[in-house]
Amino acid sequence: TLRMLVPALLLLFLCLRGRAGGLPHFLQQPDDLVVLLGDEARLSCALGAYRGLVQWTKDGLALGGERDLPGWSRYWISGNAASGQHDLHIKPVELEDQASYECQATQAGLRSRPAQLHVLVPPEAPQVLGGPSVSLVAGVPANLTCRSHGDAHPTPELLWFRDGVRLDGTTFHQTLLKEGTTGSVESILFLTPSSRDDGATLVCRARSQALPAGKDTAITLSLQYPPVVTLSAEPQTVQEGEKVTFLCQATAQPPVTGYRWAKGGSPVLGARGPMLEVVADASFLTAPVSCEVSNAVGSANRSTALDVQFGPILQAKPEPLSVDAGEDASFSCAWRGNPLPRVTWTRRGGTQVLGFGPTLRLPSVGPEDAGDYVCRAEPGLSGRGGGAAEARLTVNAPPIVTALQSAPASLRGPARLQCLVFASPAPEAVVWSWDEGFLAAGSRGRFLVETFPAPEGRGGQGPGLISVLHISGTQESDFSRGFNCSARNRLGEGGTRVSLGRRDLLPTVQIVAGVAAAALTLLMVITGVALCCWRHGKASASFSKQKNLVRIPGSSDGSSSRGAEEETGSGGDRGPIVHTDHSDLVLDEEGTLESKDPTNGYYKVRGVSVSLSLGEAPGGGLFLPPPSPLGPPGTPTFYDFNPHLGVVPPCRLYRARAGYLTTPHPRAFTSYIKPTSFGPPDLAPGTPPFPYAAFPTPGHPRLQTHV
């Protein structure tokens, strides 16, 4: 405790000694000071126990020891020097007075702490570029610049106000002088004015510590803006075909200079004013009407769509489908209408509704589902629109093969067999098969295959083909065996059996009897000719230049201008021309050759009357030309009389009769002309397009008759 008291007592002693002896010291030192430009600044300094020289320094520069500080007109020192008061005064304060000041007792070697003098310079009223009335364009971004000039200190803050509310969206920029002092500051306000800003007042305020209330500068906005458009339609909901009036109204600065109307983006020609009248149709529902209004600043437009009620209009037809049996099928069609149309699905030819709406789904289809499906929409409230669209469903399945009716054939003659094939997808090939083999196309021995497109079958059944098997020179085995017609596609195979029918010729006994009767008739003719020549001689009546004719019942070639001696056939002999296989000629009781039916009514052949003239060959005897090699062996001989038809016969047996055909010989035969090529099958008129329909094959008519 004693050790702590000793230092304390020593310190107290020294203090008492200093106060009693008077060592120089500062009683008051200057403090930092802030003063406005033009005001008075006072820096205090007081010394104790000092009677010597006191001076002030400014930034280290001595101002002098006199009280009036010569050379510094605005500076002086005040206070009672005897009491040690030495205050520094500056009036009026200028910006250059801002510095660091010290109070010094030079003889005592004392210096006060430095005191900083701050001079505040209030800002001047700011300037807004383009003011006091600034012209802007509505909708166009713009910049408003507020600038503060002078030596304001500290640097002023520039603020924007509208109706007492501070505005955001500004930037601040400061320009410095060379000495580092402030030159000017500016603030830029970014804004996009609208037509509502026309006539608005904006304030730019410059404030700082030197002027907390700040100084304001106001400007007025003068807005130019493009038209503000409103568009209306009367009535807004309308039936198709009714009139509608559109009214386009606009406000603009500067005034409106023009109107332009468009529909769905395409100009409406001839429309220039603020009103447009149209007749509504379905297109106005999706193609709105727009009005564009222009002035010197720009343009603006508005559009509106009408609620047009109209009947259904087809937009997308259903597409044909081809699916395999067992798969699902789906059709779609699109109708447009206001209100939305009611869509139904049916099958062509039927009345049952299969579904509603734009889509029809058929699960697990089979061949019986193939056909045409109809998408139908009923007319609208106005009675307009509506209709139907259809698409075909093709069901892919194994081929369906059907045998067609074929004409019967005779032994060793030509034959033709036919089958009808419907398949989807189309068959890879149609094959005919029999005991010895098979044939799909071309020829093989006595067989030839041809394929033709068939008439359209039942809807959705797929394309049809008719395959024809030609047989040249049929044999006995062809009538007893069957022929198979088959077809294959990727889904399977189908086939049918086709049989060849037989047509019998005349019985052999009748043929032999006919030949015998013909020989007897020939003998009788030769005898008659011989009697004629013996009776009349070579100088008998003159030869008639008229050609001898064979009477064809029903002929109309007889002429009334012939002589009275010419006979005419009775009306009962007139009738259609008939052809026979064989005929025999015999003399009746009046000496006229009469024809007989060698078939005894098998072919119902009618007889014909024959009148002929025969001559003698040179040297006497019956005149006969050389035989012709025509006809198969064993048949009666043909004679060619063409070179002798102009020779005058040596005697005359009977006169020619009107309506008779010239005949050179009382014997002739009937033959058939065999076709040299095969054409497509002949379908009987009215044959229905159905896979099971039969297509008859016409037989070849007889083309030539000999009597």
Side-chain angles (χ1 to χ4, degrees):
T1 303
L2 183 60
R3 291 181 180 179
M4 296 178 62
L5 289 176
V6 171
L9 293 174
L10 180 60
L11 179 62
L12 179 61
F13 173 77
L14 290 175
C15 290
L16 292 175
R17 182 184 176 185
R19 185 166 294 275
L23 293 176
H25 60 276
F26 282 102
L27 299 176
Q28 185 179 6
Q29 297 188 46
D31 296 320
D32 294 341
L33 181 64
V34 177
V35 62
L36 288 177
L37 180 69
D39 289 348
E40 179 181 358
R42 179 176 180 177
L43 298 175
S44 299
C45 180
L47 292 170
Y50 181 74
R51 297 289 183 268
L53 178 65
V54 176
Q55 65 175 4
W56 287 85
T57 62
K58 177 183 179 181
D59 291 334
L61 176 65
L63 298 179
E66 291 82 359
R67 304 290 287 182
D68 56 357
L69 298 179
W72 303 89
S73 60
R74 296 179 293 107
Y75 289 62
W76 73 92
I77 298 175
S78 67
N80 187 355
S83 61
Q85 192 70 35
H86 305 277
D87 297 335
L88 175 64
H89 293 263
I90 305 173
K91 185 180 180 180
V93 175
E94 295 182 0
L95 188 59
E96 63 183 17
D97 298 330
Q98 183 170 276
S100 177
Y101 294 87
E102 290 182 2
C103 179
Q104 298 178 355
T106 58
Q107 295 174 350
L110 297 177
R111 300 177 60 181
S112 70
R113 62 176 177 267
Q116 189 71 34
L117 176 63
H118 297 280
V119 179
L120 300 181
V121 180
E124 298 179 358
Q127 178 185 4
V128 179
L129 301 183
S133 178
V134 179
S135 180
L136 301 177
V137 177
V140 179
N143 301 331
L144 295 180
T145 301
C146 178
R147 184 174 296 168
S148 177
H149 295 281
D151 299 327
H153 185 79
T155 302
E157 180 184 15
L158 300 179
L159 304 176
W160 289 93
F161 294 88
R162 177 177 178 175
D163 299 333
V165 179
R166 182 176 174 178
L167 301 178
D168 297 326
T170 61
T171 60
F172 183 80
H173 179 72
Q174 179 176 343
T175 302
L176 300 178
L177 298 178
K178 293 181 180 180
E179 293 81 4
T181 58
T182 303
S184 65
V185 293
E186 63 183 26
S187 176
I188 300 176
L189 174 65
F190 298 95
L191 76 163
T192 302
S194 65
S195 57
R196 297 187 300 273
D197 297 327
D198 187 32
T201 299
L202 299 183
V203 174
C204 179
R205 176 176 300 167
R207 72 180 183 182
S208 67
Q209 184 181 357
L211 188 62
K215 290 186 177 180
D216 296 341
T217 299
I219 61 170
T220 302
L221 299 182
S222 176
L223 265 295
Q224 292 185 346
Y225 52 91
V228 179
V229 182
T230 58
L231 179 61
S232 61
E234 183 62 35
Q236 191 72 32
T237 300
V238 62
Q239 292 288 335
E240 184 179 17
E242 294 181 353
K243 288 186 177 180
V244 178
T245 300
F246 293 90
L247 181 61
C248 184
Q249 297 175 315
T251 57
Q253 181 65 34
V256 172
T257 57
Y259 294 85
R260 189 175 71 171
W261 293 88
K263 176 192 173 186
S266 299
V268 178
L269 301 180
R272 290 290 183 268
M275 184 179 297
L276 175 66
E277 290 187 352
V278 298
V279 176
D281 57 31
S283 62
F284 284 90
L285 187 64
T286 55
V289 174
S290 62
C291 173
E292 182 180 71
V293 185
S294 304
N295 68 353
V297 176
S299 62
N301 69 77
R302 288 291 181 272
S303 62
T304 183
L306 294 178
D307 183 16
V308 182
Q309 296 184 352
F310 57 94
I313 300 175
L314 181 63
Q315 287 186 306
K317 296 181 179 180
E319 297 293 335
L321 293 178
S322 177
V323 298
D324 293 345
E327 295 183 353
D328 296 344
S330 179
F331 290 101
S332 296
C333 72
W335 293 86
R336 183 170 65 95
N338 187 26
L340 292 176
R342 180 175 180 266
V343 180
T344 60
W345 290 89
T346 59
R347 191 167 179 175
R348 189 171 68 174
T351 58
Q352 181 183 1
V353 176
L354 304 177
F356 298 92
T359 302
L360 173 65
R361 182 177 179 273
L362 302 174
S364 188
V365 298
E368 67 279 1
D369 296 316
D372 296 320
Y373 289 83
V374 181
C375 172
R376 189 183 309 277
E378 299 300 327
L381 298 177
S382 62
R384 301 181 181 181
E390 64 181 43
R392 172 163 296 182
L393 172 62
T394 300
V395 179
N396 300 323
I400 300 175
V401 183
T402 307
L404 299 181
Q405 180 181 356
S406 300
S410 59
L411 184 63
R412 297 185 182 87
R416 184 159 108 170
L417 301 177
Q418 301 178 104
C419 69
L420 177 64
V421 180
F422 283 106
S424 177
E428 301 167 1
V430 180
V431 179
W432 286 88
S433 60
W434 55 94
D435 295 342
E436 292 94 5
F438 62 90
L439 185 61
S443 61
R444 177 180 179 184
R446 298 181 298 116
F447 302 96
L448 170 67
V449 172
E450 292 182 307
T451 303
F452 307 95
E456 183 179 359
R458 187 172 58 192
Q461 197 171 30
L465 296 174
I466 294 179
S467 182
V468 182
L469 174 64
H470 298 280
I471 305 175
S472 176
T474 58
Q475 299 177 0
E476 190 69 33
S477 60
D478 296 335
F479 300 99
S480 60
R481 63 185 171 190
F483 294 86
N484 293 322
C485 176
S486 60
R488 173 184 292 273
N489 62 11
R490 64 178 177 84
L491 297 176
E493 182 177 0
T496 187
R497 185 179 181 86
V498 185
S499 299
L500 177 62
R502 183 166 184 168
R503 181 179 60 195
D504 293 332
L505 298 177
L506 293 176
T508 305
V509 176
Q510 293 182 352
I511 296 175
V512 174
V515 173
L520 179 59
T521 302
L522 177 61
L523 180 60
M524 294 175 65
V525 171
I526 295 174
T527 304
V529 172
L531 289 175
C532 175
C533 293
W534 173 78
R535 183 176 181 181
H536 295 279
K538 296 183 179 180
S540 61
S542 62
F543 175 72
S544 176
K545 294 182 180 181
Q546 295 179 353
K547 295 182 179 180
N548 299 309
L549 305 173
V550 176
R551 179 72 175 187
I552 304 300
S555 173
S556 60
D557 294 335
S559 175
S560 61
S561 64
R562 299 179 187 272
E565 61 182 359
E566 299 183 32
E567 300 179 12
T568 62
S570 63
D573 293 335
R574 300 176 184 272
I577 298 175
V578 299
H579 303 277
T580 64
D581 292 325
H582 304 284
S583 298
D584 291 325
L585 302 178
V586 296
L587 290 173
D588 59 9
E589 294 178 356
E590 298 178 358
T592 303
L593 290 177
E594 188 72 15
S595 65
K596 300 294 183 178
D597 181 8
T599 66
N600 294 326
Y602 189 83
Y603 286 104
K604 297 182 180 182
V605 178
R606 297 176 56 187
V608 297
S609 299
V610 180
S611 176
L612 59 121
S613 296
L614 299 175
E616 292 182 359
L622 185 62
F623 177 85
L624 291 174
S628 171
L630 299 175
T635 59
T637 307
F638 289 85
Y639 296 93
D640 186 5
F641 288 91
N642 291 329
H644 308 283
L645 291 179
V647 179
V648 179
C651 64
R652 179 179 180 184
L653 182 60
Y654 296 106
R655 295 185 300 270
R657 296 183 182 183
Y660 283 68
L661 296 176
T662 303
T663 179
H665 195 272
R667 193 71 179 166
F669 302 91
T670 300
S671 64
Y672 298 94
I673 295 178
K674 180 180 179 181
T676 59
S677 63
F678 301 98
D682 303 320
L683 303 182
T687 300
F690 189 71
Y692 299 97
F695 296 86
T697 304
H700 296 289
R702 297 188 181 185
L703 306 179
Q704 175 177 330
T705 300
H706 303 279
V707 296

